[in-house]
Amino acid sequence: MIHAFYSISAAVALVSNVFLLSLLINPDPHPVGVQAAIWPKPAYACQGHRTIQVSPKFHFNLPHDAHPRLVEGAARFRNRIFNSDFVSPVPIRIEDAEVEDRSQVGTLKLKSLAIDVEDRTGNIALGLDIDESYRLAIAYDEDPDTEFELDAAVCKQIAKEPFGPGFKGILKAKTIYGALHGLETFTQLVTRNPHDGTKEIAQTPLLIHDRPLFPHRGVLLDTSRNFLSMVSLYRTIDAMAMNKFNVFHWHIVDSPSFPIALDDQVAEGEDEDSGDDMDGIEGESGNNNGEHVYKERKHRIQTSTRPNLPLSQLAAKGAFSEKMVYTKKEITDFVDYAMDRGIRVIPEVDMPGHAWSWSKAFPEITTCLDGFPSYSRFSAEPPSGQLNPVHPKTYQVIQGVYDQVLPLFKDKFAHGGADEVNFNCWNATASVIDLMERKNIPRSKEGFDRILDGFTERQHKMLRRAGKRPIVWEEPLLAHDLATIKENKDTVIQVWTSAENIKKTVRQGYDVITGSADYWYMDCGFGDWLGNWTMGKSWCAYSDWQKAYSFNPLQGLNTKESKKVLGGEALLWGEQVDNTNLDTKLWPRASAVAEVLWSGNSDDSLTGLWDGRKQNKNTLRTIEALDRINEHRFRMEAEKILAEPLQPLWCVKNPGHCNWPILDTKPEDLES
Amino acid sequence: MSKKNDVRPLSKGSYSPLSLHDPDTILDDSSAVRQQYISAHDNENSSDDDDMDHNAQRRTSIEIEPTPITAGSSSSSTIHGTSTRRPTSQQRLQSPDEDIHNPDGDGRGGNGAGGKKSTHWGRNWIRYVAFACITGALVLLITLLVLRPWQQKQKLLPITNDAVKALPENQPIWPVPKSFSHGEGAEKVILSPNFQIKVQSSVNSPSIALAPDSILAKAIARCMDRLQVKRNTTIWSTDVIPPSTAATAAAPLAELTLVVANTQAKLEYGMVESYAINIANKHAENAEGAPQSLVNLEKRALHHLASLRARAEPESPPATTAVVTASTQWGAIHALETFTQIVVATKATTANAPSASPPKTTNNQLEIPNIPWSIYDEPRFSHRGILLDTSRNYVGVPDIIRTLDAMAVVKLNVFHWHVLDQQTYPLVSKAFPDLTAKGAQDPEKIYTPQDVAAIIQHGLERGIRVLPEFDSPGHAASWGRAYPNLTVCLDALPHGTYAAEPPAGQLDPLEPFTYTVLDTLVKEWSGLFPDAQAHIGGDEVNMNCWKTSKRLSDYISNENHRAEYEKAIMPVVDTQSDNTNPMTRTIAGRQSGEDKLLELYLDRIFAMFIAQGKRPIVWEEMALEHNVRLPASAIIQVWKDATNAKKVIAQGRPVILSSSEFWYLDCGAGAWLIGSQGQSWCKFASWQRIYSYALTDGMTEEEQKMVYGGEICMWGEQTDSSNLDSNVWPRSAAAAEVLWSGTKDAQGHARSLLDASRRLSAVRERLVQMGIRAAPIFPSWCAKHPEACLVED
């Protein structure tokens, strides 16, 4: 469906195949492509050569019954348009400047942009299936809905259209979230004239038809290893909106700290907890045909009452300090703030591994704490500590945590974690061994897989009962082959160790979220943080923006398989990240991820050629993207996001001069 | 300085794009060099941990010993001595495979057309070389086998080291003082709310009233501010600790006495920066460790009376004295910094405050635990710097000011300001304003003389020298924006052929106007920057660039024409050599035309700076890669391999060390040239890596004296105001401790990384508290449990 839409612009892709060609050969004097550096690049854009002014009285024309979220959004963008003193450091390309007609700058003024949203109510919930497309036109009597063959010839025709005083701006979208993306694009189109401060839009008339390649475009932040303040998180949402990201994956609890402040759980109903160890495992292992017994017991657990649990102690004892916690109010406000910007917040309370932080409040539900003499027997990094899968209280606490945490997040998805579960740990836990011996479960990988499956089944039941579709890291499927996952094909798998695993996952029929350590881990390359390793390198190599940009989540998949790829995430793990360097580590490299997920890294991606075949390296549009990402970096900086520079400023201001030497042209005879 | 896109020295000429696209080659190259370095250093390390490495080495060599290969290598040192037969016999031990690589080996004789003897020697000579190559390769192979670089598991520094005296956990001084002693927690003293700092010129003289804008008065005010911040802070957990149970000296500490002999010392290389701090209850004053300066008969007698009285009347409280002694105000500034680091804030509220309502503001109590304290401190190296490149990306004046603030916290004293480079010319010149008007990227991204003065003043108040660098004759494209005839090969493509990074452009050494401009600028700069040293650059001079000019290539290739060219530029500058500072050439052998041209330029630029009383610093290529004469006073800054330090010292020249193997802060952030997904040309330097740069290891005492210090370098290709702090801090603090305290303690023991990681995370919090966005070095959890955050095998 998406790809069918893009196939209409096949011709466009050929023209704007910029790699080398645009540098070495004088390109088409009327290039088709976005020149105002819109990031991420729209799926389709067609532009003329006239510069117009944005009237100081400019306003957004909203339907009278517009959703408040859109009304507020429009006000926000109007503010940004008129209050920002951002001027792009990237000069307009000479060939574009030559054909640009500025003769009517003083007389052609855009007074308004009419916004038309099909879903007037705004009641369509933000979710995976939301329509984020929009159509933007600044043209004379041009209806952006006009269906016509958008190709180079048509674009040339548009560029020549008479452009009288009756021209107008129209933004059409199916949902308010599409409209918000359209407003971001429009805002990026408006540039500030550095001489008189007026606002202009170059290269009109223009038509943009835009929609994302992938519905899940996320950023993962880890707030457990180092604390991130709410200010930092809000700022990240702002930056994400500028990059058309729509998922904030909040890795909120991990081993080092438990930063959510929960309330104590007060008992309700009769307490009939039996204290029997690991009911699920017993049912499954004690009798291979005892499925009914198992289900019955599960049912009992599900309906079992809530005991008294001092859940407030999780943060009181497990957070770094009393200030380094998120209150429920802070979280719900944050979720609302993100939703106002079209961003879903998906929480992850990692378990059963990565759980040391639970131990201070509930030592009995955790095991192999502070592994001695070696944490590495029990966990990937210190501190070691895993939930005890055979202790009944484990599940009471998880249920108690979920009861309070999950309702704070309105999204239909929740991340169940389940990465790096360490079987050495359980194999060194007396109660687990004891149960396995009693139930005659072999203490082999297969045996522990069954233990993990029992845990996962109960955990996912809790998630589903709370109305959440579970996402898990890749191990439950690829390393442990858990029955729970096998039986629930709607479980979403997040691949992280290697891009190779995407294929394995989709071939088994699962929806997949990509973003693996080989391309999209933003924390890689900053040295080993473990204290004594002078030669230490990160376990994974640094991904500069070019490497991040080169990743194609659909590499090697056929069309059918491609549809199982929901999208991907830029992941910034927190070992060496906190408020001080969050922005610089994330931006603008995550912007490269954003564009890949929105419109791909090649113009092939807009034509439907991107999936199902080996990507042609020559169509990778890194060089074309450079000027845009350089500008976008400064745009983000103007919005107080501390995105780091990618190049010396001279390179930014002299496009084409800082390419890898092999791309250089031959030298001219300098002194003749 | 670029050193960015190409590992190979550019002087090699022809450039091969293939190797540029092969990051593995690059990595292999540098790791092999590093490996040699490591093996050189491992052998000297005497700690337990390294003994284990030696054992491993021994074990491995025993396994290899039966093979003839090892036998050959083990006696290689004698081969070049007296015996001429020995190499032959040794060579016979080589495997046939290796013989093939030696075309002049036995059995292929009889090609002696010349004198027999010389042929024999010639053959042997070749044989020796081949043999040396083979043994060298074998030694390398064995080294590689033993050290297993692919596992990257060597520990250069011990994890823990009981032999090194550790600082108390809540008083993590950084850099660690040269020597110190303190009580074991039995006693502490509380700082009075009216605590103040008084200055005396000697122990018994009355206190001096300082002018409020004097350096010392400002340092004292800063110290008081820092203490006030400690009183108010609630955020940073490790800085604020629960009240200890130690006994309190009954009377709070009301004043710190600062005894400074000379408050007008000059800020210069070699300035005296030592200081002593003594904090003790009076009854303990006679204990060992009391400063010599305090011990005089009268005082001792008075004290004796006082202590007698104290014993007689136990209710009378003992008073605590806190005295700092320093010869200069620079030492006093460092002492005050150390003092703030041993003052601890303890929570005024109870430790078990309910989490629901943390106190909004607190008024912490300040105290000094573990008294009596006695510290004597002085720097290991006098030149301790950070290089900041403000040309590739502009760094604002407030950012530089903030960097100076942070430098003072870790006792760094040189701000090496790499202010000009090929991309921009942001330093405003009064005589040639067009240089900036056309050479800066943005009319606002410049440094006016007022900016420079403010930065110098800010540095002066903190004992930090501002050392400017005027990089030339390479890296000078930005000069050509205003005056194209100053430069040659401006913007030549492919830039990889003509410059280390774009844009290409070098000063034209045969253009008289070049010297007209330089002569004016050098005088202007000398007025602007008061430091007695100036960095003249000299890195990555590209001869291909010069050869694009007909005039220059004619000068290079045509010896007969040179005099004429020289005459054309003769009147501009007098280059008569100064007898006190003779020009010396350090590389023997015939000088190439290229180097002759370079020397022509250097003679003049050195003369200009020396005439202004500046001692020149140049990058290492001037001493190691070009056959040119340099002033005897020149200081060489090493930036390539760490091992180059010894090569420069062997020439009799002093060095400043900044090897990119250890101390380049920009490495590892990816290639910034577009069209490649390559990695940086050099690897990311973690703080541990930075901390392991053993500047003087393997040097004799005489050689060590030639090491003036070091600098950690923040090149600006991918750094500006947004990420400056987090790129520079806290990693530069690791270099600061190496430079101040040395890599080993006073007894020669290597410091422990575990202790360092604990203290470094405290430094980081200290910096964040001051508004510097220093990056976290590990999860916060590890700050409280550093012993659990170690690599395990």
Side-chain angles (χ1 to χ4, degrees):
Chain A
M1 167 187 73
I2 291 174
H3 305 300
F5 173 82
Y6 292 118
S7 62
I8 58 168
S9 51
V12 180
L14 290 174
V15 177
S16 55
N17 178 359
V18 293
F19 193 86
L20 282 179
L21 286 179
S22 66
L23 291 164
L24 304 181
I25 305 164
N26 189 25
D28 184 340
H30 303 284
V32 178
V34 181
Q35 276 311 297
I38 301 173
W39 193 279
K41 187 175 186 173
Y44 180 78
C46 173
Q47 292 181 271
H49 308 293
R50 276 179 209 84
T51 303
I52 59 166
Q53 211 174 69
V54 179
S55 163
K57 291 175 188 159
F58 172 85
H59 62 279
F60 292 112
N61 227 336
L62 294 162
H64 69 281
D65 56 350
H67 192 272
R69 190 166 282 155
L70 182 60
V71 177
E72 282 168 28
R76 210 163 55 229
F77 283 109
R78 195 186 180 284
N79 250 339
R80 208 172 107 195
I81 287 170
F82 286 99
N83 293 347
S84 167
D85 56 0
F86 169 67
V87 176
S88 171
V90 183
I92 189 163
R93 291 216 314 242
I94 293 165
E95 60 267 30
D96 293 324
E98 276 169 0
V99 298
E100 189 71 8
D101 176 5
R102 292 185 58 86
S103 62
Q104 288 172 290
V105 171
T107 52
L108 284 178
K109 291 194 179 173
L110 184 67
K111 295 191 185 69
S112 68
L113 182 73
I115 302 176
D116 183 18
V117 181
E118 211 167 89
D119 168 43
R120 293 289 176 88
T121 62
N123 283 340
I124 296 176
L126 186 57
L128 192 66
D129 303 324
I130 203 81
D131 186 314
E132 295 176 279
S133 70
Y134 67 90
R135 294 176 172 216
L136 179 65
I138 297 171
Y140 179 65
D141 242 7
E142 199 62 68
D143 180 355
D145 274 348
T146 308
E147 292 297 337
F148 52 78
E149 284 297 308
L150 290 175
D151 61 20
V154 172
C155 248
K156 274 188 184 174
Q157 191 53 40
I158 290 169
K160 287 177 190 152
E161 293 276 319
F163 211 52
F167 76 100
K168 58 190 175 184
I170 302 168
L171 172 63
K172 288 196 166 192
K174 295 269 194 322
T175 65
I176 55 170
Y177 305 108
L180 288 170
H181 291 317
L183 283 169
E184 176 63 42
T185 301
F186 177 79
T187 305
Q188 295 189 8
L189 281 169
V190 179
T191 55
R192 180 173 180 268
N193 184 325
H195 304 296
D196 55 11
T198 55
K199 305 292 174 175
E200 296 176 351
I201 299 177
Q203 297 184 316
T204 58
L206 72 83
L207 264 177
I208 291 175
H209 289 197
D210 203 5
R211 68 197 304 173
L213 273 179
F214 297 102
H216 183 112
R217 305 181 308 279
V219 166
L220 175 144
L221 290 190
D222 164 10
T223 58
S224 173
R225 292 190 170 85
N226 277 299
F227 184 76
L228 294 170
S229 70
M230 287 315 296
V231 177
S232 295
L233 297 183
Y234 278 112
R235 200 172 59 248
T236 302
I237 294 294
D238 290 347
M240 286 173 66
M242 290 181 80
N243 289 279
K244 299 192 172 78
F245 273 114
N246 69 353
V247 172
F248 180 78
H249 176 169
W250 192 349
H251 187 87
I252 193 164
V253 174
D254 201 292
S255 255
S257 75
F258 197 110
I260 321 177
L262 301 176
D263 300 319
D264 289 340
Q265 178 170 296
V266 183
E268 56 183 47
E270 73 239 53
D271 188 353
E272 52 144 301
D273 188 64
S274 64
D276 188 11
D277 279 359
M278 195 60 188
D279 303 55
I281 294 296
E282 182 186 0
E284 193 178 44
S285 58
N287 177 356
N288 283 338
N289 300 319
E291 195 64 14
H292 61 285
V293 182
Y294 178 36
K295 282 189 173 150
E296 193 180 303
R297 283 173 185 273
K298 267 188 303 185
H299 179 73
R300 184 165 59 77
I301 291 157
Q302 282 160 20
T303 55
S304 76
T305 51
R306 313 254 187 271
N308 278 318
L309 282 175
L311 296 176
S312 69
Q313 295 306 301
L314 281 166
K317 293 178 176 168
F320 289 131
S321 84
E322 61 218 26
K323 291 212 152 191
M324 294 187 179
V325 292
Y326 307 105
T327 64
K328 288 181 180 177
K329 173 85 168 59
E330 282 173 336
I331 292 172
T332 50
D333 286 354
F334 174 72
V335 169
D336 286 344
Y337 184 88
M339 199 174 283
D340 285 348
R341 284 149 185 82
I343 294 167
R344 304 152 54 201
V345 182
I346 298 179
E348 177 186 357
V349 178
D350 203 356
M351 64 180 79
H354 293 265
W356 179 88
S357 59
W358 304 57
S359 69
K360 291 290 165 184
F362 299 101
E364 65 277 23
I365 70 165
T366 50
T367 178
C368 45
L369 302 173
D370 302 326
F372 188 83
S374 162
Y375 70 80
S376 57
R377 277 179 61 216
F378 295 143
S379 69
E381 67 184 47
S384 66
Q386 239 164 239
L387 294 182
N388 183 337
V390 304
H391 199 293
K393 193 169 179 188
T394 304
Y395 299 95
Q396 291 173 355
V397 175
I398 295 171
Q399 184 66 59
V401 169
Y402 275 165
D403 282 347
Q404 293 190 40
V405 170
L406 295 180
L408 303 175
F409 298 89
K410 293 168 185 167
D411 203 68
K412 293 263 181 262
F413 288 78
H415 204 298
D419 57 319
E420 300 182 318
V421 176
N422 188 307
F423 288 162
N424 286 338
C425 165
W426 285 345
N427 199 18
T429 304
S431 57
V432 177
I433 297 168
D434 186 45
L435 177 123
M436 291 175 88
E437 277 170 1
R438 267 197 293 128
K439 307 299 173 196
N440 206 18
I441 304 174
R443 277 165 66 187
S444 61
K445 181 183 171 292
E446 287 68 31
F448 285 106
D449 282 347
R450 280 164 69 184
I451 300 283
L452 178 61
D453 190 46
F455 176 90
T456 308
E457 168 146 29
R458 296 172 78 165
Q459 180 207 2
H460 284 199
K461 281 279 180 216
M462 294 180 205
L463 289 173
R464 288 176 195 279
R465 227 172 27 242
K468 307 291 186 188
R469 183 175 163 192
I471 307 172
V472 289
W473 296 106
E474 65 182 47
E475 288 99 320
L477 178 69
L478 299 179
H480 305 299
D481 217 18
L482 298 187
T484 307
I485 309 293
K486 292 279 179 193
E487 287 160 12
N488 295 283
K489 291 280 184 190
D490 68 332
T491 310
V492 179
I493 308 295
Q494 184 160 11
V495 166
W496 69 273
T497 57
S498 160
E500 299 294 311
N501 290 341
I502 297 169
K503 205 179 294 180
K504 290 184 203 160
T505 308
V506 295
R507 294 219 167 130
Q508 296 188 51
Y510 294 90
D511 286 344
V512 66
I513 295 169
T514 65
S516 43
D518 35 7
Y519 290 94
W520 286 357
Y521 266 33
M522 299 287 131
D523 55 309
C524 290
F526 291 99
D528 200 296
W529 50 271
L530 291 160
N532 56 328
W533 200 1
T534 54
M535 295 298 288
K537 294 187 296 187
S538 300
W539 67 275
C540 48
Y542 182 80
S543 268
D544 64 356
W545 81 270
Q546 302 181 66
K547 176 135 193 244
Y549 195 70
S550 72
F551 177 57
N552 175 357
L554 303 180
Q555 180 94 41
L557 305 182
N558 65 35
T559 308
K560 196 176 155 220
E561 289 165 343
S562 295
K563 291 191 174 128
K564 303 301 280 180
V565 178
L566 300 181
E569 293 177 0
L571 304 100
L572 182 61
W573 295 102
E575 280 87 349
Q576 292 166 294
V577 178
D578 71 4
N579 300 320
T580 59
N581 58 351
L582 167 67
D583 287 15
T584 59
K585 288 227 173 157
L586 199 51
W587 309 107
R589 288 186 295 146
S591 301
V593 176
E595 178 155 305
V596 173
L597 293 170
W598 181 271
S599 58
N601 59 13
S602 119
D603 291 315
D604 288 354
S605 42
L606 307 177
T607 64
L609 300 174
W610 202 34
D611 59 329
R613 56 181 76 181
K614 198 163 164 35
Q615 192 179 334
N616 181 355
K617 266 212 157 178
N618 289 341
T619 65
L620 196 66
R621 61 182 179 215
T622 314
I623 292 187
E624 183 271 339
L626 172 70
D627 291 347
R628 288 187 295 112
I629 199 171
N630 270 339
E631 172 169 337
H632 193 53
R633 179 265 167 174
F634 282 91
R635 182 183 293 130
M636 285 195 280
E637 199 192 29
E639 297 302 314
K640 308 283 181 259
I641 293 142
L642 292 172
E644 67 180 6
L646 298 170
Q647 290 191 308
L649 187 52
W650 186 87
C651 297
V652 176
K653 294 195 163 200
N654 293 276
H657 281 72
C658 294
N659 296 328
W660 209 236
I662 197 171
L663 300 172
D664 271 351
T665 50
K666 279 282 174 195
E668 301 298 324
D669 193 9
L670 287 156
E671 277 192 18
S672 50
Chain B
M1 300 290 297
S2 111
K3 327 82 213 186
K4 303 305 158 189
N5 58 350
D6 197 340
V7 171
R8 296 162 301 117
L10 283 157
S11 53
K12 274 188 187 166
S14 74
Y15 109 95
S16 132
L18 280 177
S19 68
L20 291 178
H21 279 274
D22 186 3
D24 287 340
T25 321
I26 292 168
L27 295 181
D28 284 345
D29 267 7
S30 53
S31 65
V33 172
R34 195 164 306 144
Q35 215 43 64
Q36 289 172 345
Y37 178 77
I38 291 155
S39 58
H41 286 260
D42 255 1
N43 293 338
E44 289 143 24
N45 229 321
S46 61
S47 73
D48 294 348
D49 201 60
D50 284 273
D51 280 348
M52 282 171 61
D53 275 353
H54 286 298
N55 289 334
Q57 210 162 349
R58 256 175 254 133
R59 273 201 304 279
T60 316
S61 55
I62 285 164
E63 284 161 22
I64 296 171
E65 211 149 25
T67 71
I69 297 165
T70 314
S73 68
S74 66
S75 54
S76 62
S77 61
T78 60
I79 291 166
H80 299 280
T82 51
S83 165
T84 50
R85 281 168 54 197
R86 204 151 180 194
T88 319
S89 64
Q90 288 296 336
Q91 199 139 32
R92 290 207 176 106
L93 290 171
Q94 304 296 324
S95 66
D97 274 358
E98 276 141 10
D99 227 351
I100 289 166
H101 296 294
N102 179 5
D104 280 322
D106 285 356
R108 294 198 194 179
N111 58 348
K116 205 175 181 181
K117 197 173 178 186
S118 72
T119 309
H120 176 75
W121 272 102
R123 273 205 351 243
N124 276 343
W125 179 79
I126 292 165
R127 206 177 286 164
Y128 296 162
V129 170
F131 181 70
C133 289
I134 290 164
T135 32
L138 289 175
V139 168
L140 189 67
L141 187 72
I142 291 164
T143 318
L144 289 174
L145 275 172
V146 171
L147 296 172
R148 285 177 222 169
W150 53 91
Q151 289 185 356
Q152 300 276 325
K153 283 262 181 182
Q154 307 78 14
K155 289 164 194 148
L156 294 185
L157 296 170
I159 302 165
T160 56
N161 192 345
D162 293 338
V164 175
K165 190 161 52 164
L167 287 156
E169 264 188 44
N170 52 358
Q171 292 167 302
I173 304 172
W174 186 287
V176 63
K178 181 168 187 176
S179 64
F180 58 89
S181 69
H182 58 81
E184 295 303 323
E187 277 187 292
K188 65 177 181 184
V189 62
I190 291 166
L191 262 64
S192 157
N194 305 317
F195 174 79
Q196 52 174 316
I197 299 169
K198 289 201 305 188
V199 180
Q200 294 168 202
S201 63
S202 67
V203 175
N204 291 319
S205 59
S207 66
I208 312 167
L210 292 166
D213 62 345
S214 68
I215 289 171
L216 207 47
K218 289 196 168 176
I220 289 168
R222 281 200 307 276
C223 177
M224 297 301 283
D225 282 351
R226 291 270 296 281
L227 294 178
Q228 193 55 42
V229 168
K230 285 199 185 214
R231 278 192 208 279
N232 295 338
T233 188
T234 57
I235 305 166
W236 297 100
S237 47
T238 55
D239 241 22
V240 184
I241 58 162
S244 72
T245 52
T248 311
L253 185 64
E255 63 180 43
L256 172 70
T257 309
L258 212 52
V259 182
V260 187
N262 177 5
T263 60
Q264 306 294 324
K266 200 164 177 259
L267 185 68
E268 61 188 355
Y269 171 78
M271 60 195 169
V272 179
E273 296 176 280
S274 60
Y275 65 89
I277 298 178
N278 283 278
I279 300 163
N281 284 334
K282 273 197 173 155
H283 61 72
E285 197 177 301
N286 276 345
E288 61 174 313
Q292 203 57 40
S293 56
L294 285 182
V295 179
N296 59 59
L297 277 174
E298 188 185 15
K299 230 181 143 53
R300 204 185 282 172
L302 279 172
H303 167 71
H304 187 62
L305 279 174
S307 59
L308 279 178
R309 217 176 300 143
R311 247 174 259 154
E313 305 165 77
E315 67 271 21
S316 135
T320 309
T321 59
V323 180
V324 164
T325 45
S327 326
T328 67
Q329 77 271 37
W330 313 128
I333 289 173
H334 295 318
L336 290 173
E337 179 58 47
T338 304
F339 180 77
T340 63
Q341 296 182 11
I342 60 172
V343 173
V344 172
T346 61
K347 270 182 193 172
T349 51
T350 54
N352 297 327
S355 63
S357 57
K360 287 270 182 278
T361 56
T362 55
N363 199 2
N364 301 317
Q365 176 171 286
L366 298 186
E367 61 185 46
I368 303 172
N370 302 310
I371 58 169
W373 267 95
S374 176
I375 296 173
Y376 175 74
D377 203 4
E378 65 182 18
R380 170 70 181 80
F381 298 102
S382 188
H383 187 109
R384 307 182 303 278
I386 289 184
L387 177 150
L388 202 57
D389 166 10
T390 62
S391 169
R392 302 226 158 71
N393 275 298
Y394 181 78
V395 174
V397 176
D399 302 314
I400 294 176
I401 295 285
R402 202 172 59 244
T403 304
L404 293 169
D405 289 343
M407 286 171 69
V409 172
V410 295
K411 301 188 173 77
L412 289 171
N413 69 352
V414 175
F415 171 56
H416 177 159
W417 190 358
H418 186 87
V419 63
L420 304 178
D421 209 300
Q422 63 214 32
Q423 283 87 356
T424 64
Y425 195 108
L427 181 65
V428 174
S429 162
K430 278 180 190 159
F432 303 100
D434 273 2
L435 280 170
T436 310
K438 295 184 178 164
Q441 286 304 317
D442 187 313
E444 285 171 11
K445 294 185 170 173
I446 55 169
Y447 303 103
T448 64
Q450 292 76 31
D451 293 336
V452 173
I455 288 164
I456 289 170
Q457 179 62 26
H458 201 81
L460 178 70
E461 287 169 10
R462 285 154 183 80
I464 298 169
R465 301 160 49 203
V466 176
L467 176 69
E469 177 180 349
F470 313 104
D471 201 355
S472 76
H475 293 268
S478 60
W479 303 53
R481 305 296 167 208
Y483 303 105
N485 56 339
L486 279 180
T487 51
V488 291
C489 87
L490 191 61
D491 296 326
L493 295 175
H495 58 73
T497 309
Y498 300 107
E501 68 180 58
Q506 282 183 182
L507 294 185
D508 183 345
L510 292 184
E511 170 58 50
F513 184 55
T514 303
Y515 300 101
T516 314
V517 171
L518 278 174
D519 198 38
T520 313
L521 284 177
V522 169
K523 283 174 186 150
E524 201 179 306
W525 292 335
S526 301
L528 210 49
F529 295 92
D531 201 77
Q533 297 177 358
H535 203 299
I536 297 174
D539 59 317
E540 299 181 319
V541 177
N542 187 306
M543 296 303 171
N544 289 335
C545 170
W546 276 345
K547 284 178 190 163
T548 60
S549 152
K550 279 187 178 161
R551 181 163 65 179
L552 296 179
S553 58
D554 187 37
Y555 182 93
I556 288 169
S557 54
N558 220 325
E559 238 172 285
N560 301 332
H561 296 177
R562 285 181 192 164
E564 207 173 310
Y565 287 119
E566 283 167 16
K567 217 162 87 186
I569 57 170
M570 196 58 97
V572 181
V573 190
D574 174 24
T575 58
Q576 284 203 332
S577 70
D578 176 357
N579 282 340
T580 59
N581 198 5
M583 301 288 276
T584 54
R585 194 168 290 167
T586 41
I587 297 178
R590 199 174 163 278
Q591 190 180 33
S592 67
E594 286 91 340
D595 286 345
K596 177 72 193 152
L597 180 61
L598 178 60
E599 189 172 86
L600 176 82
Y601 173 83
L602 289 176
D603 280 354
R604 281 155 184 78
I605 191 81
F606 280 129
M608 290 175 196
F609 275 99
I610 288 169
Q612 297 300 318
K614 302 292 184 192
R615 183 171 182 186
I617 307 174
V618 289
W619 293 106
E620 66 171 70
E621 290 100 316
M622 293 295 98
L624 296 180
E625 292 174 21
H626 297 287
N627 184 0
V628 291
R629 56 180 182 230
L630 303 174
S633 66
I635 302 167
I636 313 296
Q637 185 161 9
V638 170
W639 67 271
K640 294 184 176 179
D641 299 347
T643 47
N644 286 355
K646 282 190 85 161
K647 292 184 198 159
V648 175
I649 291 170
Q651 297 183 0
R653 299 192 186 280
V655 291
I656 293 165
L657 303 181
S658 307
S659 170
S660 50
E661 294 174 74
F662 293 91
W663 281 8
Y664 265 32
L665 293 168
D666 56 313
C667 291
W672 54 272
L673 289 169
I674 300 308
S676 156
Q677 296 154 34
Q679 300 287 320
S680 302
W681 67 276
C682 50
K683 284 184 194 164
F684 181 83
S686 65
W687 77 264
Q688 300 99 312
R689 177 97 187 123
I690 289 165
Y691 198 66
S692 71
Y693 188 5
L695 302 175
T696 53
D697 274 17
M699 289 187 188
T700 65
E701 217 159 280
E702 284 308 306
E703 286 172 328
Q704 291 192 19
K705 281 180 192 157
M706 301 298 273
V707 179
Y708 282 11
E711 291 176 4
I712 190 159
C713 302
M714 182 73 257
W715 296 102
E717 279 84 352
Q718 292 165 296
T719 298
D720 69 5
S721 305
S722 65
N723 56 354
L724 173 72
D725 286 9
S726 57
N727 280 351
V728 174
W729 305 105
R731 286 190 288 154
S732 295
E737 180 152 294
V738 172
L739 288 166
W740 178 277
S741 318
T743 46
K744 304 205 163 95
D745 78 347
Q747 282 72 45
H749 300 299
R751 293 200 170 76
S752 118
L753 276 169
L754 176 60
D755 175 58
S757 71
R758 182 175 57 75
R759 288 185 296 118
L760 187 61
S761 76
V763 173
R764 187 255 166 178
E765 292 194 352
R766 200 171 283 151
L767 294 173
V768 170
Q769 212 172 51
M770 293 173 65
I772 293 138
R773 294 191 303 269
I777 59 170
F778 47 32
S780 307
W781 188 86
C782 294
K784 293 175 182 173
H785 311 269
E787 68 292 341
C789 292
L790 301 171
V791 170
E792 291 163 345
D793 296 319

